[in-house]
């Protein structure tokens, strides 16, 4: 029986493979919790695949579903047409957390949290499974959107492809903290430190086209408190 | 004579190629100004290449230099070793600007600005050109860092590879504004609008290891006013 990637896994870590080995091994983290946490903090993955002998990398909205990412889009796009044939892909999610400014050029760096996934996407098929996956996608955009907007009709469902990217071969890469300057540079007359960078939600803007009297949903308003 | 990608170009737009054609053509923008503006607003590009028959996509700091991006890193990394052999690459820079919440699931969307570049990287060689490129990299991290920290010694220079990614085949893709709901959905009792998302700089944090009395540089302090 094939693995159900929508279910939680039992092992606490992902296996380290040749492709997910990280050169600076102190920055690698194979713990599922770390990988999930980074994925759950993001909206956009950069998905790479090969098309006509050249790599292509495209930003796409995703939501994590257990041990997989769900992505969806028009069946007509090159990306979905290509990925559905089962070609190898790489998906990377990155949060830039800060600029690291050192006493030397060489030790300037970035603080970040990223996840890299290697694998092959599987199309989600079957009416119920597709509706369930899109429900999760909607809830990933903002809590309550699935029940808070019109579900797709037959035509819209038909036009949409849903792909599941399994989290079998995944690794997190994280850098935190201040600059790692060399001992002999510590007394140089240069400032060293960090500039934190954050991604924040602003107040929701109601569409000017609203013709009915509906309040901004609570969960949408609550987004503003995340990371502000 | 080969093209000097560090110089400005004369044409106002990039040529549309098979690879940079965008399906929803209203979202495509080939104007150099648009592409440059999006690139200059970012720090991290997702660079894809093919390694052992599979795509790999890695986040990396870049700075724009005229009609090119400069990236740098250790000569020992798989990415720099591979790119230096002249394999095709794709580099994508994405800014997520907001969640677009529509009256229907189908019209939920994201506001974003992204740039996709196809090409082949060229190694920057020659002592002066390499130092000049790294100077620009430092200034790209934060203004004043090149003069405000120790320049690399011979060993550090030797360990560093600098690659130039030419902006010959590039396209911007942009979505702005509110949801594009269907006419027949406009009176549904659902809220529709946007949640803007922004990337902001926080106050600089001085390294606890500072042993000399140096103020936070003005340009570093000024970062906080960008996007806050």
């Amino acid at each position: 029986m094939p693995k159900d990637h929508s279910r939680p896994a039992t092992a606490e870590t992902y296996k380290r493979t040749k492709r997910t080995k990280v050169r600076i091994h102190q920055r690698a983290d194979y713990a599922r919790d770390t990988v999930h946490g980074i994925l759950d903090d993001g909206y956009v993955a950069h998905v790479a695949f090969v098309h006509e002998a050249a790599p292509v990398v495209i930003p796409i909205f995703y939501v994590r579903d257990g041990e997989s990412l769900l992505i969806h889009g028009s069946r007509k796009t090159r990306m979905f047409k290509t990925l559905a044939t089962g070609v190898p892909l790489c998906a990377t999610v990155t949060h830039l957390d800060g600029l690291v400014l050192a006493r030397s050029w060489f030790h300037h760096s970035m603080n970040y949290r990223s996840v890299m996934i290697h694998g092959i996407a599987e199309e989600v098929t079957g009416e119920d499974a597709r509706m369930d996956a899109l429900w999760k996608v909607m809830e990933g955009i903002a809590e309550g959107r699935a029940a808070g907007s019109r579900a797709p009709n037959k035509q819209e469902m038909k036009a949409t492809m849903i792909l599941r990217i399994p989290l079998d071969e995944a690794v997190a890469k994280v850098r935190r903290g201040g600059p790692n300057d060399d001992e002999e540079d510590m007394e140089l007359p240069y400032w060293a430190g960090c500039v934190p960078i954050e991604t924040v939600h602003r107040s929701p803007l109601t569409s000017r086209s609203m013709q009915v009297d509906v309040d901004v949903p609570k969960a949408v308003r609550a987004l503003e408190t995340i990371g502000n």
Side-chain angles (χ1 to χ4, degrees), chain A residues 132-147:
Chain A
D132 177 61
L134 280 185
W135 181 283
K136 288 169 176 166
V137 165
M138 295 305 300
E139 293 297 299
I141 299 176
E143 210 195 306
R145 291 315 288 170

Side-chain angles (χ1 to χ4, degrees), chain A residues 167-186:
Chain A
L167 294 179
D168 285 330
E169 203 175 337
V171 61
K173 226 181 120 183
V174 176
R175 193 207 185 277
R176 278 197 190 89
N180 299 322
D181 272 304
D182 293 331
E183 203 45 51
E184 58 266 38
D185 289 338
M186 296 309 273

Side-chain angles (χ1 to χ4, degrees), chain A residues 39-181:
Chain A
L39 293 173
D40 294 351
D41 265 2
Y43 291 108
V44 171
H46 280 82
V47 176
F49 55 96
V50 181
H51 183 74
E52 295 179 357
V56 181
V57 51
I58 293 180
I60 184 119
F61 177 82
Y62 71 89
V63 61
R64 183 176 69 86
D65 180 32
E67 286 299 328
S68 64
L69 302 187
L70 294 170
I71 61 174
H72 76 294
S74 163
R75 293 192 173 278
K76 289 183 190 161
T77 58
R78 177 179 60 170
M79 182 182 186
F80 280 84
K81 280 195 280 192
T82 307
L83 292 182
T85 65
V87 295
L89 67 82
C90 181
T92 297
V93 171
T94 307
H95 308 300
L96 177 62
D97 293 328
L99 311 173
V100 180
L101 309 178
R103 293 160 184 87
S104 67
W105 291 18
F106 193 71
H107 285 293
H108 276 67
S109 190
M110 301 275 135
N111 281 333
Y112 60 89
R113 290 162 295 145
S114 76
V115 165
M116 184 191 284
I117 302 156
H118 288 275
I120 288 171
E122 306 152 7
E123 186 173 351
V124 178
T125 56
E127 216 175 312
D128 290 355
R130 276 161 54 76
M131 194 56 96
D132 177 61
L134 280 185
W135 181 283
K136 288 169 176 166
V137 165
M138 295 305 300
E139 293 297 299
I141 299 176
E143 210 195 306
R145 291 315 288 170
S149 59
R150 175 179 66 70
N153 58 34
K154 270 190 187 160
Q155 209 178 349
E156 290 168 341
M157 278 306 266
K158 210 176 141 185
T160 305
M161 187 186 280
I162 309 158
L163 295 174
R164 188 183 296 280
I165 300 174
L167 294 179
D168 285 330
E169 203 175 337
V171 61
K173 226 181 120 183
V174 176
R175 193 207 185 277
R176 278 197 190 89
N180 299 322
D181 272 304

Side-chain angles (χ1 to χ4, degrees), chain A residues 4 6 24 29 42 48 54 62 99 111 193 225:
Chain A
D4 180 355
S6 67
I24 307 181
D29 193 337
Y62 71 89
L99 311 173
N111 281 333
T225 61

